[in-house]
């Protein structure tokens, strides 16, 4: 394939257009003629220094997939990549690996984007073509970030109040946004404003389009759900039935069916044509903050403040599976655009976890993805990248790990890495009971085995983890070590010493002497080892004494000391008394000669 290259310099003038991406000067050869103006001539433009930015370019991956697709015998027999850096060029795109959800888990940190004026980011959406990311802030501003280099592009004051919801139409032409004042605005793909009207009395929490884009639904903190005619911006029907704030709503991908979640702990299914409530799901135990339909139209996932995620199957109107793993309330959820069974959730503690339907525990995630509540999650239209926004004023991008990546990241660490670096010691009981843990029933809050880590940011040193922090029951404490007998040297094994044991020659003076019975036959202590103090009370028969030491005189009945020998003066000075005891070879305490 041939490419036509054109010079990146201009014959007249200089400036930034003549600076290449690699940081070169961009000066052309002098043989082009005398009309060339020297690059040192100042033309009023400031030359910016080239900055290298991290990028996630999916074009080469897609081109490689399209090239290999023609020679594959069967789409069900893809080329498998190996965990080696040489297979990076063979890495397939996310939409080519629908049979393997593990390939689409985006846990590698790429970039953090922060507005110049810091404020919480409430919602974000990728543009339909995936070239930009739009974020809605609590200041009412739209911020556009580049989808490849993640740099800032433009900012626009869209609302007067905090933006709470955004949704793109299925034909990728229209964008709807709602704010805290209850207003809804229409936007084109070029971010031009077309229409504005007041839809609710309180904050607009969520928006959703019908499969045909002729209708859309909105929910609010006023406890109502409204159906609107999109072309006329006219209210068609109001759905009432929730007893409290309605936090989320989502339209079925193929049918005339609405699902809503509320602060009254209920999930309701609605008929938007008649406005009747078809069914109510009672599985949740707290406020439902987010819910999403799967593309297959059969599964509905809910995220609640009870720290659980539930997947319902509407064909049986029963709960299909419950996912446990978040340590605090679950605030956001999103399905993968291509892998049917894969979805991601964000918690109020800043954690992001990946789940696979049929697997009881999280298949991936980041413990400290953000420093505060994760408000919104959205996958790139190609499925290879995830964007998240939080109450910590940041928007972060996450990509898939390439073949051969070690996954040593400041945000994500695997269990094997935690064990290797000593952050966590995983026991067999922990591995067995991890999928059976229940939030609130572990030893994590105030238990005798809990170790509550300090709250630290992602850039600081990670706190030590234990099972209570991970959300699983604490394993049984280890068996107590056998007690060392009194007088045993530190590090010496309890019990009899092996035959031929010899202590080191550099043993310090006054080193404690092992108790009787712990030394093997024939063992000779070093000369600088002091003998142990005699046990209180009468000595047992056959008590061994070191060479050169005589046993003390027998004690009188009742533990009284024996009488002084005949001729012993009663008022002898302490020095003579110590000399007399030294002749008797009885060890005494020099600080207290009366004992």
């Amino acid at each position: 394939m041939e490419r036509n290259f054109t010079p990146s310099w201009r014959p007249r003038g200089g400036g930034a257009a003549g600076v290449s991406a690699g940081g070169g000067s961009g000066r052309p050869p002098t043989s082009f003629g005398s009309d060339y103006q020297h690059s040192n001539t100042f033309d009023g433009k400031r030359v910016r220094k080239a900055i290298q930015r991290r990028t996630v370019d999916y074009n080469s991956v897609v081109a490689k997939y399209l090239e290999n697709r023609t020679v594959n015998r069967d789409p069900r027999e893809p080329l498998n990549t190996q965990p080696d850096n040489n297979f990076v060029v063979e890495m397939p795109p996310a939409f080519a690996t629908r049979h393997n959800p593990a390939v689409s888990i985006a846990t590698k940190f790429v970039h953090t984007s922060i507005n110049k004026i810091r404020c919480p980011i409430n919602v974000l959406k990728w543009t339909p073509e995936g070239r930009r990311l739009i974020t809605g802030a609590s200041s009412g501003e739209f911020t556009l970030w580049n989808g490849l280099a993640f740099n800032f592009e433009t900012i626009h004051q869209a609302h007067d109040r905090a933006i709470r919801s955004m949704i793109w139409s299925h034909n990728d032409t229209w964008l709807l946004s709602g704010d805290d004042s209850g207003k809804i605005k229409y936007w084109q793909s070029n971010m031009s404003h077309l229409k504005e009207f007041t839809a609710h009395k309180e904050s607009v929490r969520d928006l959703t389009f019908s499969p045909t884009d002729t209708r859309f639904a909105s929910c609010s903190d006023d406890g109502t759900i409204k159906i609107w005619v999109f072309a006329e911006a006219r209210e068609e029907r109001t759905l009432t039935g929730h007893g409290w704030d309605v936090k989320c709503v989502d339209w079925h991908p193929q049918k005339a069916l609405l699902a809503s979640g509320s602060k009254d702990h209920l999930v309701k299914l609605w008929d938007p044509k008649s406005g009747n409530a078809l069914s109510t799901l009672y599985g949740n135990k707290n406020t439902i903050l987010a819910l999403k339909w799967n593309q297959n139209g059969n599964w509905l996932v809910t995220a609640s403040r009870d720290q659980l995620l539930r997947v319902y199957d509407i064909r049986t109107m029963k709960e299909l599976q419950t996912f446990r793993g978040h340590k605090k309330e679950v605030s956001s959820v999103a399905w993968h655009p291509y892998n049917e069974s894969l979805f991601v959730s964000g918690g109020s503690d800043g954690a992001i976890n990946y789940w696979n339907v049929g697997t009881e525990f999280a298949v991936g995630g980041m413990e400290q993805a953000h420093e505060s509540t994760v408000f919104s999650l959205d996958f790139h239209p190609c499925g290879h990248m995830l964007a998240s926004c939080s109450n910590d004023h940041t928007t972060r991008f996450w990509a898939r790990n390439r073949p051969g990546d070690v996954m040593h990241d400041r945000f994500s660490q695997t269990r094997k890495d935690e064990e290797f670096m000593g952050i966590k010691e995983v026991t067999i009981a922990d591995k067995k009971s991890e999928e059976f843990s229940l939030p609130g029933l572990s030893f994590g809050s105030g238990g005798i085995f809990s170790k509550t880590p300090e709250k630290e940011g992602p850039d600081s040193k990670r706190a030590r983890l234990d099972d209570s922090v991970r959300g699983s029951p604490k394993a049984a404490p280890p068996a107590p070590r056998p007690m060392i007998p009194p007088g045993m040297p530190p590090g010496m094994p309890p019990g009899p010493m092996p035959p031929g044991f010899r202590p080191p020659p550099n043993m310090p003076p006054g080193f404690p002497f092992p108790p009787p019975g712990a030394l093997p036959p024939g063992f000779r202590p070093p000369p600088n080892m002091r003998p142990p103090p005699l046990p209180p009370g009468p000595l047992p028969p056959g008590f061994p004494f070191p060479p050169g030491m005589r046993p003390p005189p027998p004690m009188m009945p009742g533990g009284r000391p024996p009488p002084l020998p005949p001729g012993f003066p009663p008022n002898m000075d302490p020095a003579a008394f110590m000399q007399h005891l030294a002749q008797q070879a009885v060890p005494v305490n020099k600080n207290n000669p009366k004992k």
Side-chain angles (χ1 to χ4, degrees), residues 242-467:
H242 282 291
W244 218 336
D245 303 351
V246 184
K247 296 295 184 181
C248 49
V249 65
D250 197 22
W251 207 303
H252 194 278
Q254 294 94 23
K255 303 180 183 300
L257 183 63
L258 274 174
S260 63
S262 172
K263 199 174 180 180
D264 58 4
H265 312 172
L266 300 179
V267 176
K268 287 184 177 292
L269 302 179
W270 306 84
D271 181 7
K273 296 181 180 179
S274 63
N276 298 328
L278 302 178
S279 180
T280 303
L281 303 176
Y282 297 92
N284 298 86
K285 303 297 186 296
N286 210 323
T287 303
I288 301 168
L289 298 178
L291 57 79
K292 292 293 180 181
W293 285 103
N294 193 292
Q295 290 185 351
N296 58 19
N298 299 326
W299 296 343
L300 177 68
V301 62
T302 62
S304 173
R305 282 183 174 172
D306 58 4
Q307 308 177 13
L308 303 177
L309 294 113
R310 291 179 171 88
V311 175
Y312 295 93
D313 193 334
I314 64 169
R315 294 171 293 185
T316 60
M317 296 304 296
K318 293 182 179 180
E319 183 178 318
L320 181 64
Q321 189 176 353
T322 302
F323 299 89
R324 302 176 176 89
H326 279 280
K327 296 173 290 185
K328 291 188 178 181
E329 59 189 43
V330 189
S331 56
S332 56
V333 68
W335 288 98
H336 193 272
Y338 295 104
N339 290 279
E340 182 182 58
S341 61
L342 183 66
F343 65 96
V344 63
S345 63
S348 61
D349 58 347
I352 296 178
N353 291 331
Y354 286 84
W355 311 89
N356 187 38
V357 177
T359 306
E360 297 182 356
F361 49 87
V363 295
M366 296 79 71
E367 289 278 348
Q368 296 177 347
H370 287 274
E371 298 178 9
S372 187
T373 304
V374 181
F375 282 147
S376 182
L377 298 167
D378 195 25
F379 277 101
H380 190 277
C382 287
H384 71 290
M385 197 158 47
L386 176 73
S388 62
C389 65
S390 171
N391 192 34
D392 61 359
H393 311 165
T394 63
T395 300
R396 284 181 175 146
F397 299 85
W398 314 88
R400 301 181 299 168
N401 286 277
R402 299 177 299 178
D405 282 353
V406 295
M407 296 183 64
H408 286 291
D409 195 272
R410 61 173 178 170
F411 294 99
S412 61
Q413 289 177 341
T414 61
R415 172 179 292 176
K416 184 177 180 181
D417 295 335
E418 292 175 354
E419 295 181 26
F420 177 75
M421 292 185 291
I423 299 178
K424 174 175 171 56
E425 182 180 357
V426 181
T427 61
I428 298 177
D430 176 27
K431 296 179 181 179
K432 289 183 179 180
S433 62
E434 183 175 7
E435 56 268 26
F436 301 105
S437 61
L438 296 176
L441 298 183
S442 62
F443 293 91
S445 55
I448 57 175
F449 301 117
S450 62
K451 296 179 181 179
T452 305
E454 297 180 358
K455 182 176 180 59
E456 298 182 359
D459 298 328
S460 60
K461 185 178 179 181
R462 290 193 53 168
R464 282 190 169 270
L465 303 177
D466 60 3
D467 293 288

Side-chain angles (χ1 to χ4, degrees), residues 163-215:
I163 302 173
R164 291 295 177 183
S165 56
M166 287 193 301
I167 187 66
W168 281 96
S169 62
H170 295 87
N171 57 13
D172 303 338
T173 306
W174 306 98
L175 175 69
L176 297 181
S177 62
D179 62 7
D180 269 348
S181 63
K183 292 183 179 180
I184 296 179
K185 292 188 178 183
Y186 289 7
W187 307 86
Q188 286 183 324
S189 57
N190 58 358
M191 302 310 297
S192 61
H193 177 230
L194 293 182
K195 195 173 184 60
E196 173 185 351
F197 61 94
T198 301
H200 292 273
K201 297 179 181 179
E202 296 188 25
S203 175
V204 180
R205 287 295 178 177
D206 204 359
L207 295 167
T208 179
F209 266 102
S210 67
T212 59
D213 290 338
T214 58
R215 304 287 190 275

Side-chain angles (χ1 to χ4, degrees), residues 19 65 97 100 123 262 277 319 442 444 487:
V19 180
Y65 165 74
T97 58
N100 187 9
V123 63
S262 172
E319 183 178 318
S442 62

Side-chain angles (χ1 to χ4, degrees), residues 448-562:
I448 57 175
F449 301 117
S450 62
K451 296 179 181 179
T452 305
E454 297 180 358
K455 182 176 180 59
E456 298 182 359
D459 298 328
S460 60
K461 185 178 179 181
R462 290 193 53 168
R464 282 190 169 270
L465 303 177
D466 60 3
D467 293 288
S468 62
V469 178
R470 294 179 64 92
S472 58
K474 184 69 178 178
R481 300 178 60 183
M483 298 183 62
I484 301 177
M488 178 69 70
M492 186 173 293
M497 297 184 182
F501 174 80
R502 299 182 61 184
N506 55 353
M507 189 172 292
F511 199 80
F513 196 85
L519 300 178
F523 175 78
R524 293 188 306 171
N528 56 355
M529 179 179 289
R530 64 177 177 84
L534 294 177
L539 299 176
F543 185 82
F545 287 91
M549 181 176 179
R550 293 181 299 172
M555 303 292 290
M556 299 294 292
R560 293 178 299 173

